[in-house]
Amino acid sequence: MNFKSLPTEGTSILAMTWQEYLPYYNDLESRKLDDATVDSWLDDWSALASCIDEQYTRLQVVTSQHTADEGLKKQFDGFLDQTHPAAKSADQGIKQKLLASGLHPKGFEVALKMMQTEADLFCEANLPLLAEQQKLCNEYDKIMGATTVMWEGEEKTYWQMYTLYSFETDRAVRERAYRAIAERIYQNRDPINDLWSRFMELRRNIAQNAGYSDFRSYMWKQKFRFDYTPEDCKSFHAAIEQVVVPAAQRIYARRQKRLGIEATLPWDREVDQFGRAMLRPAESMAELNARTLQVFGQVDPKFREYYQAMMDHDLLDLESRKNKASGGYSVAFNVARLPFIFMNRTNTAVDVIILLHEGGHAFHTFKSAHWRFHQRAEAYVPVEFSEVASMSMELIASPYLTRAHGGYYTEEESARSRISHMETIILFWPYIALVDAFQHWIYENHAEASDGRRCEEKWSELWDRFMQGIDYRGFERDKGIYWHQQGHIHTTPFYYVEYGLAQLGAVQVFGRARKDQKRAVAVYRKALSLGSTRPLPELFAAAGAKFAFDAHTLKQAVDLLEEAIEEQEAHLS
């Protein structure tokens, strides 16, 4: 068959059916596979896999853009029920053919290891269950997308209210905004807990069908965690508790003193501690894009070129609106070999961090686009390193946030932004430990954790262990259901510790950049271009970082951040 006849334009890809894909799979299955034919065979398989992956991704994107659109939901559900499981099954046959051939194509060493793991995990009986799991994820997004409140005569989304209670300088307004959205979130309690019990039953069955006694063991394989264990994660939790929790307490104490408050309440965690107006990086979408373009260009001219291409090809959806899923992400359209960024703009400093973060992911897509699908696709690049790409960008772009560089802020505003960002990195590690420790508990105690109310109790217990410095007295109910807002727990289980490990790598990249920015950026770019052709520790090393879980490496990172924070404080008038 002529694999060049596969569609390359988004609308045509979305219209593909399983019957149209099937002849391509039959062709790959029937062809001779040896040293002479393997390269062309892999090229064709890559084209086919990219097409199906892009169809899935585009459907995922449009349903998150329009969570109340029943037509889009029906289209996505149809894909999940029909095309996706059939393609998964057929693709597994192609993987088995390559594995059985005994061939070892150059640059495919890591991909082959991943494919063998997929072969070990594959279970025909799980295909409808995995489709059902995605539908439950869509239900969760719909609940959160509809979480709005009336505020001063206007309907506000969760993210708009989050902005108010986090950054508004008037403490009374912050408290009022917090109480309003907290009450609305509480209304989701029973629907989300009911959904949770369905998630848990489904995940137990998925693990058992694949031959695993628990869902964590299944997910460890599914996430290709070849280079660390659950015990390593628990060691990381302990290192965070030892090194970072005290640093976080120092930050909260400084903020409390500067704000002149007796306790850090839930609406005091992120407000500007210097008592100044909320940072407003850009008043319009056009201004935000123009300034972001300049900042990326300062880091490296190639990054400016990439972001311009995203603007030109409508690969950005950044505005917040009703019935749009919460959060932000970057995904790859693998036929086009282009990324797409999704965000909810609030005109606060959060926008800048999210855009830099997702921009790092997007540039990873651009830099690795020359590889075949199984050497570059999101499913095959270790997430721990994907997040190094994004988190490093947050830090190596930070010297260019000022208007003098075409950025968003005055010198003083930039200093405030950078202090807040680096403090947030320190404060994020304990939250990462909380989320990851919670998930380990969940899947070590599957029956008990299937009860959402019991999860609320355990979450509160772990919160008190890691999130010291925030006073939730009188707001215990809100603390207990806070995990309802943490989408990863519901829709992408066990995807969180990666942020902590990657953040440790990113701070090491930042440390190198503080000594030689140009060299550090060049090394970073080179590392992004490797796709998934190297094992995880080697990808970290290529970026100039050590893949680590220990308290010593973590302390070096915290010390570096505290030093950089002190430097920025000197820029405040």
Side-chain angles (χ1 to χ4, degrees):
M1 289 192 70
N2 180 11
F3 281 70
K4 289 185 171 27
S5 65
L6 284 163
T8 57
E9 184 271 326
T11 304
S12 300
I13 291 170
L14 284 170
M16 287 289 285
T17 66
W18 170 240
Q19 290 306 313
E20 291 172 299
Y21 284 124
L22 180 57
Y24 294 97
Y25 276 110
N26 289 340
D27 181 83
L28 288 169
E29 186 64 53
S30 65
R31 277 158 60 178
K32 183 179 180 182
L33 185 57
D34 56 26
D35 286 328
T37 63
V38 65
D39 284 337
S40 61
W41 188 88
L42 286 172
D43 287 341
D44 287 344
W45 183 24
S46 180
L48 178 58
S50 295
C51 190
I52 292 176
D53 181 81
E54 183 160 328
Q55 186 174 12
Y56 176 90
T57 302
R58 285 187 179 275
L59 287 167
Q60 196 173 37
V61 167
V62 294
T63 51
S64 65
Q65 289 175 309
H66 308 284
T67 59
D69 191 315
E70 290 300 322
L72 290 174
K73 179 181 182 297
K74 184 178 179 181
Q75 184 181 4
F76 196 11
D77 285 351
F79 175 85
L80 292 172
D81 287 338
Q82 300 165 28
T83 303
H84 198 241
K88 280 278 189 185
S89 181
D91 204 59
Q92 190 57 38
I94 303 304
K95 288 172 187 171
Q96 294 283 19
K97 181 180 178 75
L98 177 61
L99 291 169
S101 74
L103 296 169
H104 293 86
K106 186 177 180 181
F108 250 72
E109 295 81 7
V110 176
L112 284 170
K113 189 174 182 180
M114 292 177 171
M115 287 177 194
Q116 183 61 62
T117 301
E118 288 178 318
D120 295 342
L121 284 176
F122 182 77
C123 172
E124 195 83 35
N126 272 342
L127 295 178
L129 301 189
L130 293 169
E132 182 62 26
Q133 181 175 232
Q134 182 59 53
K135 292 178 187 177
L136 296 186
C137 293
N138 294 345
E139 283 189 45
Y140 173 82
D141 282 345
K142 185 174 182 179
I143 292 170
M144 293 305 296
T147 302
T148 63
V149 298
M150 293 303 297
W151 177 264
E152 297 181 351
E154 292 184 28
E155 189 174 28
K156 299 286 189 181
T157 66
Y158 166 81
W159 282 103
Q160 290 169 326
M161 294 303 293
Y162 168 83
T163 300
L164 269 173
Y165 83 70
S166 296
F167 303 110
E168 169 60 48
T169 53
D170 186 324
R171 197 183 190 205
V173 173
R174 289 202 310 277
E175 179 180 356
R176 191 159 55 91
Y178 172 83
R179 289 180 182 274
I181 193 62
E183 190 59 38
R184 175 63 185 85
I185 289 169
Y186 183 69
Q187 293 173 22
N188 293 338
R189 184 189 192 188
D190 288 341
I192 289 183
N193 278 343
D194 289 345
L195 189 63
W196 178 250
S197 65
R198 293 161 63 195
F199 269 124
M200 291 295 284
E201 181 180 5
L202 200 58
R203 287 169 180 165
R204 181 184 61 239
N205 292 338
I206 287 169
Q208 289 177 350
N209 284 350
Y212 290 88
S213 60
D214 63 274
F215 188 68
R216 182 180 63 186
S217 298
Y218 170 85
M219 286 303 297
W220 222 260
K221 290 284 190 179
Q222 195 261 353
K223 288 189 169 296
F224 306 132
R225 290 182 174 173
F226 304 129
D227 302 292
Y228 61 105
T229 67
E231 291 309 310
D232 288 326
C233 289
K234 292 180 180 181
S235 295
F236 193 46
H237 305 161
I240 290 171
E241 187 174 18
Q242 175 188 338
V243 172
V244 188
V245 170
Q249 289 177 295
R250 292 194 290 272
I251 290 171
Y252 285 126
R254 284 199 305 271
R255 289 178 53 80
Q256 205 165 296
K257 183 176 180 180
R258 285 168 176 163
L259 289 167
I261 56 179
E262 294 183 359
T264 299
L265 295 172
W267 51 85
D268 298 322
R269 293 169 59 185
E270 297 183 75
V271 67
D272 186 85
Q273 62 191 296
F274 303 104
R276 296 165 198 184
M278 191 186 310
L279 293 173
R280 297 292 189 186
E283 293 300 324
S284 68
M285 198 70 261
E287 183 184 355
L288 180 63
N289 275 330
R291 295 192 182 284
T292 302
L293 194 65
Q294 292 298 317
V295 171
F296 283 140
Q298 292 287 341
V299 180
D300 191 286
K302 199 68 179 174
F303 296 148
R304 176 193 171 97
E305 179 185 320
Y306 291 152
Y307 195 74
Q308 183 67 60
M310 297 187 73
M311 292 168 59
D312 293 344
H313 291 90
D314 195 24
L315 294 167
L316 303 166
D317 181 0
L318 310 180
E319 288 284 21
S320 179
R321 58 183 179 271
K322 183 182 177 181
N323 296 320
K324 179 179 177 180
S326 60
Y329 60 72
S330 175
V331 291
F333 295 147
N334 275 304
V335 174
R337 301 191 185 220
L338 291 171
F340 179 91
I341 292 178
F342 174 101
M343 178 180 108
N344 286 272
R345 186 175 82 92
T346 58
N347 194 19
T348 67
V350 173
D351 295 347
V352 174
I353 298 303
I354 292 176
L355 260 184
L356 295 178
H357 179 98
E358 303 304 343
H361 281 309
F363 303 150
H364 200 180
T365 297
F366 277 111
K367 292 299 296 180
S368 59
H370 58 287
W371 294 107
R372 293 185 180 108
F373 177 84
H374 300 94
Q375 297 167 296
R376 62 175 160 82
E378 182 180 353
Y380 290 93
V381 177
V383 174
E384 299 83 353
F385 186 71
S386 294
E387 295 300 339
V388 171
S390 56
M391 291 175 164
S392 294
M393 180 56 72
E394 297 172 22
L395 289 162
I396 62 179
S398 63
Y400 309 114
L401 301 183
T402 63
R403 296 277 171 83
H405 291 105
Y408 319 91
Y409 305 128
T410 65
E411 288 285 346
E412 182 181 64
E413 288 171 338
S414 175
R416 287 166 54 200
S417 172
R418 294 182 69 181
I419 290 167
S420 174
H421 178 222
M422 290 185 284
E423 287 184 343
T424 298
I425 290 172
I426 293 172
L427 296 175
F428 191 31
W429 268 312
Y431 185 71
I432 290 166
L434 161 62
V435 173
D436 193 55
F438 182 59
Q439 295 196 88
H440 281 273
W441 173 81
I442 286 169
Y443 296 108
E444 287 173 349
N445 302 275
H446 202 108
E448 182 181 359
S450 296
D451 180 352
R453 299 293 179 96
R454 178 66 186 100
C455 287
E456 293 169 16
E457 295 171 2
K458 187 63 181 183
W459 174 268
S460 294
E461 175 191 323
L462 291 168
W463 182 286
D464 292 341
R465 174 185 170 191
F466 291 109
M467 302 296 286
Q468 297 177 25
I470 309 164
D471 189 348
Y472 263 86
R473 286 175 297 180
F475 301 96
E476 289 84 0
R477 182 194 75 177
D478 301 343
K479 179 173 67 174
I481 62 172
Y482 195 96
W483 66 281
H484 285 180
Q485 306 167 50
Q486 189 54 62
H488 299 74
I489 294 169
H490 304 269
T491 64
T492 52
F494 279 105
Y495 184 173
Y496 219 73
V497 72
E498 294 92 336
Y499 290 125
L501 298 170
Q503 190 69 80
L504 186 51
V507 173
Q508 294 175 73
V509 172
F510 177 51
R512 288 178 171 269
R514 280 165 59 81
K515 297 174 182 176
D516 186 341
Q517 173 85 358
K518 186 176 180 180
R519 172 63 181 159
V521 170
V523 169
Y524 166 80
R525 278 187 54 182
K526 176 66 175 175
L528 299 194
S529 72
L530 294 173
S532 62
T533 61
R534 300 285 190 281
L536 179 57
E538 290 183 26
L539 291 173
F540 267 68
K546 175 188 175 186
F547 185 59
F549 306 85
D550 61 286
H552 175 71
T553 306
L554 200 51
K555 186 175 187 309
Q556 288 180 320
V558 171
D559 289 347
L560 186 152
L561 290 168
E562 289 188 321
E563 177 185 298
I565 289 168
E566 189 174 340
E567 290 172 5
Q568 290 303 309
E569 287 177 339
H571 293 286
L572 299 173
S573 57

